[in-house]
Amino acid sequence: MEITVSRKAHFNAAHRLNVPEWTEQENEEYFGLCNNANYHGHNYDLIVAVAGQIDPISGYLIDMKWLGKIIKTEIENRFDHKNLNLDCVEFKEINPTCENIAIVIWNKIREQLPENLKLKITLYETERNFVEYNGN
Amino acid sequence: MEITVSRKAHFNAAHRLNVPEWTEQENEEYFGLCNNANYHGHNYDLIVAVAGQIDPISGYLIDMKWLGKIIKTEIENRFDHKNLNLDCVEFKEINPTCENIAIVIWNKIREQLPENLKLKITLYETERNFVEYNGN
Amino acid sequence: MEITVSRKAHFNAAHRLNVPEWTEQENEEYFGLCNNANYHGHNYDLIVAVAGQIDPISGYLIDMKWLGKIIKTEIENRFDHKNLNLDCVEFKEINPTCENIAIVIWNKIREQLPENLKLKITLYETERNFVEYNGN
Amino acid sequence: MEITVSRKAHFNAAHRLNVPEWTEQENEEYFGLCNNANYHGHNYDLIVAVAGQIDPISGYLIDMKWLGKIIKTEIENRFDHKNLNLDCVEFKEINPTCENIAIVIWNKIREQLPENLKLKITLYETERNFVEYNGN
Amino acid sequence: MEITVSRKAHFNAAHRLNVPEWTEQENEEYFGLCNNANYHGHNYDLIVAVAGQIDPISGYLIDMKWLGKIIKTEIENRFDHKNLNLDCVEFKEINPTCENIAIVIWNKIREQLPENLKLKITLYETERNFVEYNGN
Amino acid sequence: MEITVSRKAHFNAAHRLNVPEWTEQENEEYFGLCNNANYHGHNYDLIVAVAGQIDPISGYLIDMKWLGKIIKTEIENRFDHKNLNLDCVEFKEINPTCENIAIVIWNKIREQLPENLKLKITLYETERNFVEYNGN
């Protein structure tokens, strides 16, 4: 029987949506205000959900303090108070849409998790817009 | 690989729960305060979740501005500041329970969405009571 | 030294904003969608704040269970799942704007409170619009 | 077509995480502050989600007032303002981790639900840490 | 008797904290991550509170639709999806700390409000950090 | 002109309300479930509000990182994951009601703050019950 354990975290970052292959006008039309060349920013709220079997002795699926450290090292330290386009090598080649940021985060945490655990990422760009990704 | 993108919206409406085939007493017993003949109301909070493949160029699953317009045209303009029982043809024949409102909303947005995208509706009638529907 | 103790409550109601002395057109222009003759509704969130000196023995300003009962009897039982315009004598003569509802609530709780305690009401009509009233 | 209806509830409880088979030092290392022998506590927020077919006449999946009573009787009355380790027979043999509390709650509500309805429990130990369990 | 009416709004912006008269090292030491030369960003949540006497006929202190338009024109259109340091003349000479942004917003809305109404601004930079300013 | 800057924090603790001078029955009648001899617990949410003049150079009222450290050292490290009655000398002689906890917190932070700054504490015991204290 499977159980899912989730932990919330957050980071504050600047970004800009832009596709280099498109003209300035195409980018403006498609991304609107998000295309502002001088960047804008968000408080990103992140939920990391891990699923698997609980340990019958400890009653834990996973040590949350360990998961919290992984999120701090892999995600918060990399992205918090950064400009995603300029400061983060992860977004040199890909557009930092909420969808792409969620996939990047999923990949980084996936690498650290034991293989028998499933992973799902929920990323809020604003209170009204959010993305979910589970690798399938 | 599938990703889900969600957008929140809201509308404020009056409604009354009542089954015309039942007696007044049966309706009162079953629906309690929600059967009040003079109506009561709610701030409905809506989450529209759309799932599919992201576009590898733009990094978008869907243009959120477009989705926001669909929600405004199809849902908010129809139901906001309305009496669901009296003003909305959708509830002439069906009881405006939270379940039925969610199904009506799903049908209206489903018609506007490209076929390759999946749709799930979450509708909060109050902070404590909510409904989810994905058409399956 | 003064301390303030607050308790949240809520009620769901229908209402309509309308001034009988005005023409239909004047009401429509001034109140917009809130003037809908068939009513709309809200989940009202209420915060009742009481201020005074704490009792040095019990460490309570006021027994919250007692305050909770007052709010239930005086406010929730009267207004929850009601049509404020049609079901509630309090709004026969006054327009049930958020401002006026807050004042009505303040008056009802003020009558029940010991005189040495101060009272402030905060009333949310939606998550975005709210009113505060303290009788001064 | 399946619909899911959810209801939120909450209870406030003290607990302590400890495995009797482990030494004091092992418990301290593994559970950290949660191992405090004098207990600490939480406001647990609970979401009970029930899924199935809606009744075409009433438009209800389930009577929420009935579900609310089950949650009150089976969960809130048992666990609210209790010490889970000392007062609750359910945790005499199992460690009251958030995972185990969610499973205990699922089992108690499962017994009361009609067989044709599915059940999922979400339990927040804090705003940042929560668990989901659906019995599969 | 005075009543206070509040309306929430929000805008998403990039910024950087920096005092030109200080050395790079002084700025880094004082502002830490907020000094990042490439900017970071926030979802700013704004509460505009207006206080005064309600109109006895309409039952409104102020027309919220009018206030909403002022907030949109004066604040959201200016600051949403902008880089406060680069795009906004208001912060050419002053450091865009949460304190200073709140004061700038207060001044802009103050100019539009009738003199007999009081004004208070609450500005959340994150869920955990916020500022209040009422001009006194 | 005065500005107020606030920072949120939280701690999770067990407690019990009891007046030693009263009989068991008096305590049970007055405090109800909160009198449980085995303790219960809460996630306490804390808002520390500091008011004064902003520094015209930095644009800060106070360095939030410094305030965050004070809150961590003086409040979180003392009370988080503790039994307030058994583990905390502050509540040996006084009943750990929400009112008294707020006053204790105010006193501890007041000692650390420069004299020219004002201080107000808001403490949530649950989402529905909270206390405010400013020392006046």
Side-chain angles (χ1 to χ4, degrees):
Chain A
M1 286 189 309
E2 191 178 85
I3 205 155
T4 303
V5 172
S6 292
R7 188 173 177 84
K8 292 190 188 174
H10 59 266
F11 57 93
N12 312 321
H15 79 151
R16 175 206 187 188
L17 301 186
N18 192 63
V19 171
E21 294 82 357
W22 295 356
T23 65
E24 250 185 61
Q25 198 190 333
E26 284 170 331
N27 273 298
E28 259 186 59
E29 274 171 19
Y30 195 75
F31 295 116
L33 295 172
C34 300
N35 184 240
N36 177 7
N38 284 333
Y39 312 99
H40 64 285
H42 297 290
N43 301 330
Y44 289 93
D45 281 320
L46 171 67
I47 304 175
V48 177
V50 175
Q53 307 298 316
I54 71 169
D55 177 68
I57 305 300
S58 69
Y60 269 7
L61 170 71
I62 195 177
D63 181 357
M64 279 297 222
K65 294 184 294 296
W66 178 83
L67 182 60
K69 273 179 211 161
I70 294 292
I71 298 171
K72 181 150 190 47
T73 311
E74 296 297 319
I75 309 303
E76 293 177 335
N77 288 358
R78 263 181 230 269
F79 298 144
D80 189 33
H81 282 73
K82 295 289 167 59
N83 182 312
L84 299 178
N85 305 67
L86 298 182
D87 297 328
C88 301
V89 65
E90 293 80 1
F91 300 104
K92 286 291 176 221
E93 307 281 315
I94 63 173
N95 201 16
T97 59
C98 194
E99 292 90 327
N100 278 334
I101 305 172
I103 293 172
V104 162
I105 290 174
W106 189 89
N107 285 328
K108 290 201 176 296
I109 296 182
R110 181 68 272 177
E111 281 174 26
Q112 308 294 326
L113 269 194
E115 274 192 30
N116 59 324
L117 296 174
K118 297 175 188 168
L119 175 64
K120 179 180 162 189
I121 294 300
T122 305
L123 184 67
Y124 284 76
E125 193 168 84
T126 69
E127 257 191 293
R128 298 186 69 182
N129 294 339
F130 62 98
V131 157
E132 293 161 280
Y133 181 65
N134 70 4
N136 294 322
Chain B
M1 288 188 307
E2 191 178 85
I3 206 155
T4 303
V5 172
S6 292
R7 187 172 177 86
K8 293 189 185 174
H10 59 268
F11 57 94
N12 312 322
H15 79 151
R16 176 205 188 190
L17 301 187
N18 192 62
V19 172
E21 293 83 356
W22 295 355
T23 66
E24 249 185 62
Q25 198 189 334
E26 284 171 330
N27 273 298
E28 260 185 60
E29 274 170 19
Y30 196 74
F31 294 116
L33 295 173
C34 299
N35 183 240
N36 179 7
N38 285 332
Y39 312 98
H40 63 286
H42 296 290
N43 302 330
Y44 290 93
D45 280 320
L46 170 67
I47 304 175
V48 176
V50 175
Q53 306 300 317
I54 72 169
D55 177 68
I57 305 300
S58 69
Y60 268 9
L61 170 70
I62 195 177
D63 179 358
M64 280 297 225
K65 293 183 296 296
W66 177 83
L67 182 60
K69 273 179 212 160
I70 294 292
I71 298 172
K72 181 148 190 48
T73 311
E74 296 297 319
I75 309 305
E76 292 177 336
N77 288 357
R78 262 181 231 270
F79 299 146
D80 189 33
H81 283 73
K82 296 288 168 59
N83 182 312
L84 299 179
N85 305 67
L86 298 181
D87 297 328
C88 302
V89 66
E90 293 80 1
F91 300 103
K92 287 291 176 222
E93 306 280 317
I94 63 173
N95 201 16
T97 60
C98 194
E99 291 90 328
N100 277 335
I101 305 172
I103 293 171
V104 162
I105 291 173
W106 189 89
N107 285 328
K108 288 201 177 297
I109 296 182
R110 180 68 274 176
E111 281 173 26
Q112 308 295 326
L113 267 194
E115 274 192 29
N116 59 324
L117 296 174
K118 297 176 187 168
L119 175 65
K120 180 181 162 188
I121 294 300
T122 304
L123 184 67
Y124 285 77
E125 193 168 84
T126 69
E127 256 191 295
R128 297 186 68 182
N129 293 340
F130 62 98
V131 157
E132 294 161 280
Y133 181 66
N134 70 4
N136 294 322
Chain C
M1 285 185 313
E2 190 178 82
I3 205 155
T4 304
V5 172
S6 293
R7 187 172 177 86
K8 292 188 186 175
H10 59 268
F11 57 94
N12 312 321
H15 79 152
R16 176 204 187 190
L17 301 186
N18 192 61
V19 171
E21 294 83 358
W22 295 355
T23 66
E24 249 184 64
Q25 198 190 333
E26 283 171 329
N27 274 297
E28 259 185 58
E29 273 170 20
Y30 196 74
F31 294 117
L33 295 172
C34 299
N35 184 240
N36 178 7
N38 285 331
Y39 312 99
H40 63 286
H42 297 292
N43 302 330
Y44 290 93
D45 281 319
L46 171 66
I47 303 175
V48 176
V50 175
Q53 306 299 315
I54 73 169
D55 176 68
I57 305 299
S58 68
Y60 269 7
L61 169 70
I62 193 176
D63 181 358
M64 279 295 223
K65 293 184 295 296
W66 177 84
L67 182 60
K69 273 181 211 159
I70 295 293
I71 298 172
K72 181 150 190 47
T73 310
E74 295 297 319
I75 309 303
E76 292 177 335
N77 288 357
R78 261 181 231 270
F79 298 145
D80 189 32
H81 282 73
K82 295 287 169 59
N83 181 312
L84 299 177
N85 304 67
L86 298 182
D87 297 327
C88 301
V89 65
E90 291 81 1
F91 300 103
K92 287 292 177 223
E93 307 280 317
I94 62 173
N95 200 15
T97 59
C98 193
E99 290 89 330
N100 277 335
I101 305 172
I103 293 171
V104 163
I105 291 173
W106 189 89
N107 285 328
K108 291 202 176 293
I109 296 181
R110 180 68 274 175
E111 283 175 25
Q112 308 295 327
L113 268 194
E115 273 192 31
N116 59 326
L117 297 175
K118 297 176 188 168
L119 174 65
K120 178 181 162 189
I121 295 299
T122 305
L123 183 68
Y124 285 77
E125 194 168 81
T126 68
E127 257 190 295
R128 298 186 67 180
N129 293 341
F130 62 98
V131 157
E132 294 162 279
Y133 180 66
N134 70 4
N136 294 323
Chain D
M1 286 189 309
E2 192 179 85
I3 205 154
T4 303
V5 172
S6 292
R7 188 173 176 86
K8 292 190 187 175
H10 58 267
F11 57 93
N12 312 320
H15 80 153
R16 176 205 187 190
L17 300 186
N18 192 62
V19 172
E21 295 83 356
W22 294 356
T23 66
E24 249 184 62
Q25 197 190 333
E26 284 170 331
N27 274 296
E28 260 185 58
E29 274 171 17
Y30 196 74
F31 294 116
L33 295 172
C34 299
N35 184 239
N36 178 7
N38 284 332
Y39 312 98
H40 64 286
H42 297 290
N43 301 330
Y44 290 93
D45 281 319
L46 171 66
I47 304 174
V48 176
V50 175
Q53 306 298 317
I54 72 168
D55 177 67
I57 305 301
S58 69
Y60 268 8
L61 170 71
I62 195 177
D63 180 358
M64 279 299 225
K65 293 184 294 297
W66 177 84
L67 182 60
K69 273 179 211 159
I70 294 293
I71 298 172
K72 179 149 192 49
T73 312
E74 296 297 319
I75 310 303
E76 292 177 336
N77 288 358
R78 261 180 232 271
F79 299 145
D80 188 32
H81 282 74
K82 295 289 167 58
N83 182 312
L84 299 178
N85 304 66
L86 298 181
D87 297 328
C88 301
V89 65
E90 293 80 1
F91 301 103
K92 287 292 176 221
E93 306 280 316
I94 62 172
N95 201 16
T97 58
C98 193
E99 290 90 328
N100 277 334
I101 305 171
I103 294 171
V104 162
I105 291 173
W106 189 91
N107 285 328
K108 289 201 177 296
I109 295 181
R110 180 69 272 176
E111 282 174 25
Q112 308 294 328
L113 268 194
E115 273 192 31
N116 59 324
L117 296 175
K118 297 176 187 168
L119 175 64
K120 180 181 162 187
I121 294 301
T122 304
L123 184 67
Y124 285 77
E125 194 168 84
T126 68
E127 258 190 293
R128 297 187 68 181
N129 293 339
F130 62 99
V131 157
E132 294 161 279
Y133 181 66
N134 69 4
N136 295 322
Chain E
M1 284 185 311
E2 188 179 86
I3 205 155
T4 304
V5 172
S6 292
R7 187 171 178 85
K8 292 188 187 176
H10 58 268
F11 57 93
N12 312 320
H15 79 153
R16 177 205 187 188
L17 301 186
N18 192 63
V19 172
E21 293 83 357
W22 295 356
T23 66
E24 249 185 63
Q25 198 190 332
E26 283 171 330
N27 273 297
E28 259 185 59
E29 274 171 19
Y30 195 74
F31 294 116
L33 295 172
C34 300
N35 184 240
N36 179 6
N38 285 331
Y39 312 100
H40 63 286
H42 296 291
N43 301 329
Y44 289 92
D45 281 320
L46 171 66
I47 303 175
V48 176
V50 175
Q53 307 298 317
I54 72 169
D55 177 69
I57 306 299
S58 68
Y60 269 7
L61 169 69
I62 193 177
D63 181 357
M64 279 298 221
K65 293 183 295 296
W66 177 83
L67 181 60
K69 272 179 214 161
I70 295 293
I71 298 172
K72 180 146 191 51
T73 311
E74 296 297 319
I75 309 304
E76 292 178 337
N77 287 357
R78 261 181 232 270
F79 298 147
D80 189 33
H81 282 73
K82 295 287 169 60
N83 182 311
L84 299 178
N85 305 66
L86 298 182
D87 297 327
C88 302
V89 64
E90 292 82 1
F91 300 103
K92 287 291 177 222
E93 306 280 315
I94 63 172
N95 201 16
T97 60
C98 193
E99 290 89 328
N100 277 335
I101 305 171
I103 293 171
V104 162
I105 291 173
W106 188 89
N107 285 327
K108 289 199 177 295
I109 296 182
R110 180 69 273 175
E111 282 174 27
Q112 309 294 327
L113 270 191
E115 272 193 30
N116 60 325
L117 297 174
K118 297 175 187 169
L119 175 65
K120 179 181 162 189
I121 294 300
T122 305
L123 183 67
Y124 285 77
E125 193 168 82
T126 69
E127 258 191 292
R128 298 187 68 181
N129 294 338
F130 62 98
V131 157
E132 294 162 279
Y133 180 67
N134 69 3
N136 295 322
Chain F
M1 286 186 311
E2 190 179 85
I3 205 155
T4 303
V5 172
S6 292
R7 187 173 177 85
K8 293 191 185 172
H10 58 268
F11 57 94
N12 312 320
H15 79 152
R16 174 203 188 191
L17 301 186
N18 193 63
V19 171
E21 295 82 358
W22 295 356
T23 66
E24 248 183 66
Q25 198 191 330
E26 285 171 330
N27 274 296
E28 260 185 57
E29 274 170 19
Y30 196 74
F31 294 116
L33 295 172
C34 299
N35 184 240
N36 179 7
N38 285 331
Y39 312 98
H40 64 285
H42 296 290
N43 302 330
Y44 290 93
D45 280 320
L46 171 66
I47 303 174
V48 176
V50 175
Q53 306 299 316
I54 72 167
D55 177 68
I57 305 299
S58 69
Y60 269 7
L61 169 71
I62 193 176
D63 180 357
M64 280 297 222
K65 294 183 295 296
W66 178 83
L67 181 60
K69 273 179 212 159
I70 295 293
I71 298 172
K72 181 149 191 47
T73 311
E74 295 297 320
I75 309 303
E76 293 178 334
N77 288 357
R78 262 180 230 269
F79 298 145
D80 188 34
H81 282 75
K82 295 289 169 59
N83 182 311
L84 299 178
N85 305 66
L86 299 181
D87 297 328
C88 302
V89 65
E90 292 82 0
F91 300 103
K92 287 293 176 220
E93 307 280 316
I94 63 172
N95 201 17
T97 59
C98 193
E99 291 90 328
N100 278 334
I101 305 172
I103 293 171
V104 163
I105 290 173
W106 188 89
N107 285 328
K108 288 200 177 298
I109 296 181
R110 180 69 273 176
E111 283 175 25
Q112 308 295 326
L113 269 193
E115 274 192 28
N116 58 326
L117 296 175
K118 299 177 187 168
L119 175 65
K120 178 180 163 189
I121 294 300
T122 305
L123 184 66
Y124 284 77
E125 193 168 83
T126 68
E127 257 190 293
R128 297 186 68 180
N129 294 339
F130 62 97
V131 157
E132 293 162 280
Y133 181 67
N134 70 4
N136 293 323

